[in-house]
Amino acid sequence: DSGVTQTPKHLITATGQRVTLRCSPRSGDLSVYWYQQSLDQGLQFLIQYYNGEERAKGNILERFSAQQFPDLHSELNLSSLELGDSALYFCASSLSGAGGSYEQYFGPGTRLTVT
Amino acid sequence: AQSVTQLGSHVSVSEGALVLLRCNYSSSVPPYLFWYVQYPNQGLQLLLKYTSAATLVKGINGFEAEFKKSETSFHLTKPSAHMSDAAEYFCAVSTIIQGAQKLVFGQGTRLTINP
């Protein structure tokens, strides 16, 4: 158990809909990262937040957005869903957002299926 | 841009045999490198990390990796495979974007253990 929690575990929804994925980081970690894992794209970094502020953006679509709240939990919002958005979405946390040596601890993921 | 390449999307070994999973990196600066393991239907678990303190890094579950700058490699090994090692393994390099850390993952290697 990494200490990172994600809800829900599974999500099935229709095209065009909007969903929210939730993540709670390990106790004491200030940074939260979101990743998408799919068969064709592999593991892709989406976005990072540090202590409530956006720090880095990766391959995140404009239809997707995220935020980190004062209690440090984070939400990833996916809207106007398409079939291609079906994937595993992982949240990870680390102590710091700067410096390259900090390991990231991953949650169990949310499996999103868009039908 | 920093990247990693994992040679071999599938590796199959017999129980008790040596495990060797290959990872080559591309980086213009001294890299921070990580190996993660993903068991079926689970999140990623950190196996080990290289942060320039020592070239031979020992991780959990009997795995170790050696950083070789001349070969730009960070291969993962385990002397004797166990059935429980069957999983997908990811090599990752840490990059810094505007002061924020981002992990770039390889495509993964699926390890199968034959009885």
Side-chain angles (χ1 to χ4, degrees), chain B residues 42-70:
Chain B
Q42 292 187 30
L44 280 75
Q45 181 183 6
L46 179 68
L47 276 176
L48 49 82
K49 70 174 183 179
Y50 168 76
T51 57
S52 76
T55 57
L56 184 62
V57 182
K58 294 189 183 298
I60 62 171
N61 302 338
F63 284 94
E64 61 182 36
E66 186 173 8
F67 175 75
K68 290 187 177 181
K69 185 178 178 181
S70 60

Short mmCIF file of all heavy atoms in Angstrom, two decimals, chain B residues 42-70:
data_model
loop_
_atom_site.label_atom_id
_atom_site.label_comp_id
_atom_site.label_asym_id
_atom_site.label_seq_id
_atom_site.Cartn_x
_atom_site.Cartn_y
_atom_site.Cartn_z
N GLN B 42 -3.01 -3.37 -10.60
CA GLN B 42 -2.50 -2.56 -9.49
C GLN B 42 -1.77 -1.32 -10.02
O GLN B 42 -1.50 -1.20 -11.21
CB GLN B 42 -1.56 -3.38 -8.61
CG GLN B 42 -2.26 -4.50 -7.85
CD GLN B 42 -1.33 -5.17 -6.86
OE1 GLN B 42 -0.41 -4.54 -6.32
NE2 GLN B 42 -1.57 -6.44 -6.61
N GLY B 43 -1.44 -0.43 -9.11
CA GLY B 43 -0.66 0.74 -9.47
C GLY B 43 0.82 0.40 -9.56
O GLY B 43 1.22 -0.75 -9.43
N LEU B 44 1.62 1.41 -9.80
CA LEU B 44 3.06 1.21 -9.93
C LEU B 44 3.72 1.26 -8.56
O LEU B 44 3.40 2.13 -7.74
CB LEU B 44 3.68 2.29 -10.83
CG LEU B 44 3.53 2.08 -12.32
CD1 LEU B 44 2.12 2.37 -12.78
CD2 LEU B 44 4.52 2.95 -13.08
N GLN B 45 4.68 0.36 -8.36
CA GLN B 45 5.42 0.31 -7.10
C GLN B 45 6.89 0.56 -7.39
O GLN B 45 7.46 -0.04 -8.31
CB GLN B 45 5.23 -1.06 -6.45
CG GLN B 45 5.94 -1.22 -5.12
CD GLN B 45 5.77 -2.61 -4.55
OE1 GLN B 45 5.21 -3.50 -5.18
NE2 GLN B 45 6.24 -2.81 -3.34
N LEU B 46 7.50 1.44 -6.62
CA LEU B 46 8.90 1.75 -6.83
C LEU B 46 9.78 0.57 -6.43
O LEU B 46 9.68 0.05 -5.32
CB LEU B 46 9.30 2.97 -6.00
CG LEU B 46 10.76 3.41 -6.11
CD1 LEU B 46 11.04 3.96 -7.51
CD2 LEU B 46 11.08 4.45 -5.05
N LEU B 47 10.65 0.14 -7.35
CA LEU B 47 11.61 -0.93 -7.07
C LEU B 47 12.92 -0.36 -6.55
O LEU B 47 13.49 -0.84 -5.58
CB LEU B 47 11.91 -1.73 -8.34
CG LEU B 47 10.96 -2.85 -8.74
CD1 LEU B 47 11.42 -3.44 -10.07
CD2 LEU B 47 10.90 -3.93 -7.67
N LEU B 48 13.43 0.66 -7.27
CA LEU B 48 14.69 1.27 -6.90
C LEU B 48 14.88 2.57 -7.67
O LEU B 48 14.15 2.83 -8.64
CB LEU B 48 15.87 0.33 -7.16
CG LEU B 48 15.96 -0.35 -8.53
CD1 LEU B 48 16.58 0.54 -9.57
CD2 LEU B 48 16.76 -1.65 -8.43
N LYS B 49 15.86 3.36 -7.22
CA LYS B 49 16.15 4.61 -7.92
C LYS B 49 17.64 4.89 -7.90
O LYS B 49 18.36 4.48 -6.97
CB LYS B 49 15.39 5.77 -7.29
CG LYS B 49 15.88 6.19 -5.91
CD LYS B 49 15.16 7.45 -5.42
CE LYS B 49 15.72 7.91 -4.08
NZ LYS B 49 15.06 9.15 -3.60
N TYR B 50 18.12 5.57 -8.91
CA TYR B 50 19.51 6.00 -9.02
C TYR B 50 19.55 7.52 -8.93
O TYR B 50 18.89 8.21 -9.72
CB TYR B 50 20.12 5.55 -10.35
CG TYR B 50 21.44 6.21 -10.63
CD1 TYR B 50 22.59 5.81 -9.95
CD2 TYR B 50 21.53 7.27 -11.53
CE1 TYR B 50 23.80 6.44 -10.18
CE2 TYR B 50 22.74 7.90 -11.76
CZ TYR B 50 23.86 7.49 -11.09
OH TYR B 50 25.06 8.12 -11.31
N THR B 51 20.36 8.00 -7.97
CA THR B 51 20.47 9.46 -7.83
C THR B 51 21.93 9.89 -7.73
O THR B 51 22.24 10.90 -7.13
CB THR B 51 19.71 9.93 -6.58
OG1 THR B 51 20.25 9.24 -5.43
CG2 THR B 51 18.24 9.66 -6.69
N SER B 52 22.82 9.10 -8.29
CA SER B 52 24.26 9.38 -8.43
C SER B 52 25.08 9.07 -7.19
O SER B 52 26.28 9.29 -7.18
CB SER B 52 24.51 10.83 -8.86
OG SER B 52 24.34 11.72 -7.77
N ALA B 53 24.47 8.55 -6.14
CA ALA B 53 25.24 8.22 -4.93
C ALA B 53 26.10 6.98 -5.16
O ALA B 53 27.24 6.93 -4.71
CB ALA B 53 24.31 8.01 -3.75
N ALA B 54 25.59 5.99 -5.87
CA ALA B 54 26.33 4.76 -6.13
C ALA B 54 25.84 4.20 -7.45
O ALA B 54 24.64 4.28 -7.75
CB ALA B 54 26.11 3.74 -5.02
N THR B 55 26.72 3.60 -8.22
CA THR B 55 26.32 3.11 -9.54
C THR B 55 25.54 1.81 -9.47
O THR B 55 24.73 1.53 -10.35
CB THR B 55 27.54 2.91 -10.45
OG1 THR B 55 28.45 2.02 -9.80
CG2 THR B 55 28.23 4.23 -10.73
N LEU B 56 25.75 1.03 -8.42
CA LEU B 56 24.97 -0.20 -8.23
C LEU B 56 23.91 0.08 -7.17
O LEU B 56 24.23 0.38 -6.02
CB LEU B 56 25.87 -1.36 -7.81
CG LEU B 56 25.18 -2.71 -7.67
CD1 LEU B 56 24.59 -3.16 -9.01
CD2 LEU B 56 26.16 -3.76 -7.14
N VAL B 57 22.68 -0.04 -7.59
CA VAL B 57 21.57 0.29 -6.70
C VAL B 57 20.79 -0.97 -6.36
O VAL B 57 20.41 -1.73 -7.24
CB VAL B 57 20.62 1.30 -7.38
CG1 VAL B 57 19.50 1.69 -6.42
CG2 VAL B 57 21.38 2.53 -7.83
N LYS B 58 20.58 -1.18 -5.08
CA LYS B 58 19.80 -2.34 -4.64
C LYS B 58 18.38 -1.88 -4.32
O LYS B 58 18.17 -0.83 -3.72
CB LYS B 58 20.45 -2.99 -3.43
CG LYS B 58 21.79 -3.61 -3.74
CD LYS B 58 22.32 -4.44 -2.59
CE LYS B 58 23.71 -5.00 -2.91
NZ LYS B 58 23.70 -5.90 -4.09
N GLY B 59 17.43 -2.71 -4.75
CA GLY B 59 16.04 -2.37 -4.51
C GLY B 59 15.32 -3.44 -3.70
O GLY B 59 15.94 -4.27 -3.06
N ILE B 60 14.01 -3.41 -3.82
CA ILE B 60 13.22 -4.37 -3.07
C ILE B 60 13.10 -5.68 -3.85
O ILE B 60 13.39 -5.72 -5.05
CB ILE B 60 11.80 -3.81 -2.78
CG1 ILE B 60 11.04 -3.52 -4.08
CG2 ILE B 60 11.90 -2.56 -1.91
CD1 ILE B 60 9.60 -3.17 -3.88
N ASN B 61 12.68 -6.73 -3.15
CA ASN B 61 12.42 -8.03 -3.76
C ASN B 61 13.63 -8.64 -4.47
O ASN B 61 13.46 -9.44 -5.39
CB ASN B 61 11.25 -7.94 -4.77
CG ASN B 61 9.97 -7.44 -4.11
OD1 ASN B 61 9.80 -7.53 -2.90
ND2 ASN B 61 9.07 -6.90 -4.92
N GLY B 62 14.84 -8.28 -4.05
CA GLY B 62 16.05 -8.88 -4.61
C GLY B 62 16.51 -8.28 -5.92
O GLY B 62 17.46 -8.78 -6.53
N PHE B 63 15.87 -7.23 -6.39
CA PHE B 63 16.28 -6.59 -7.64
C PHE B 63 17.40 -5.59 -7.41
O PHE B 63 17.52 -4.99 -6.34
CB PHE B 63 15.09 -5.87 -8.29
CG PHE B 63 14.12 -6.79 -8.96
CD1 PHE B 63 13.01 -7.27 -8.28
CD2 PHE B 63 14.31 -7.18 -10.28
CE1 PHE B 63 12.11 -8.13 -8.90
CE2 PHE B 63 13.41 -8.03 -10.91
CZ PHE B 63 12.32 -8.51 -10.21
N GLU B 64 18.23 -5.42 -8.43
CA GLU B 64 19.23 -4.38 -8.41
C GLU B 64 19.44 -3.86 -9.82
O GLU B 64 19.05 -4.51 -10.81
CB GLU B 64 20.55 -4.87 -7.81
CG GLU B 64 21.22 -6.00 -8.54
CD GLU B 64 22.50 -6.45 -7.83
OE1 GLU B 64 22.54 -6.43 -6.58
OE2 GLU B 64 23.45 -6.82 -8.53
N ALA B 65 20.04 -2.69 -9.93
CA ALA B 65 20.30 -2.09 -11.24
C ALA B 65 21.64 -1.39 -11.19
O ALA B 65 22.05 -0.86 -10.15
CB ALA B 65 19.20 -1.12 -11.61
N GLU B 66 22.33 -1.41 -12.33
CA GLU B 66 23.64 -0.78 -12.41
C GLU B 66 23.60 0.35 -13.41
O GLU B 66 23.20 0.16 -14.57
CB GLU B 66 24.71 -1.79 -12.81
CG GLU B 66 26.12 -1.19 -12.76
CD GLU B 66 27.20 -2.22 -12.97
OE1 GLU B 66 26.89 -3.38 -13.32
OE2 GLU B 66 28.39 -1.86 -12.78
N PHE B 67 24.02 1.52 -12.97
CA PHE B 67 24.10 2.68 -13.84
C PHE B 67 25.44 2.67 -14.56
O PHE B 67 26.50 2.62 -13.92
CB PHE B 67 23.98 3.96 -13.01
CG PHE B 67 24.18 5.23 -13.81
CD1 PHE B 67 23.20 5.69 -14.66
CD2 PHE B 67 25.36 5.96 -13.68
CE1 PHE B 67 23.38 6.85 -15.39
CE2 PHE B 67 25.55 7.12 -14.41
CZ PHE B 67 24.56 7.57 -15.27
N LYS B 68 25.40 2.66 -15.89
CA LYS B 68 26.62 2.68 -16.70
C LYS B 68 26.56 3.88 -17.63
O LYS B 68 25.87 3.85 -18.66
CB LYS B 68 26.76 1.39 -17.50
CG LYS B 68 27.07 0.18 -16.64
CD LYS B 68 27.38 -1.04 -17.50
CE LYS B 68 27.76 -2.24 -16.63
NZ LYS B 68 28.08 -3.43 -17.45
N LYS B 69 27.31 4.90 -17.26
CA LYS B 69 27.28 6.14 -18.03
C LYS B 69 27.80 5.93 -19.44
O LYS B 69 27.26 6.47 -20.40
CB LYS B 69 28.10 7.22 -17.31
CG LYS B 69 28.04 8.57 -17.97
CD LYS B 69 28.84 9.58 -17.17
CE LYS B 69 28.82 10.95 -17.86
NZ LYS B 69 29.62 11.94 -17.10
N SER B 70 28.86 5.12 -19.58
CA SER B 70 29.48 4.93 -20.89
C SER B 70 28.53 4.24 -21.86
O SER B 70 28.62 4.42 -23.07
CB SER B 70 30.75 4.11 -20.74
OG SER B 70 30.46 2.84 -20.19
#
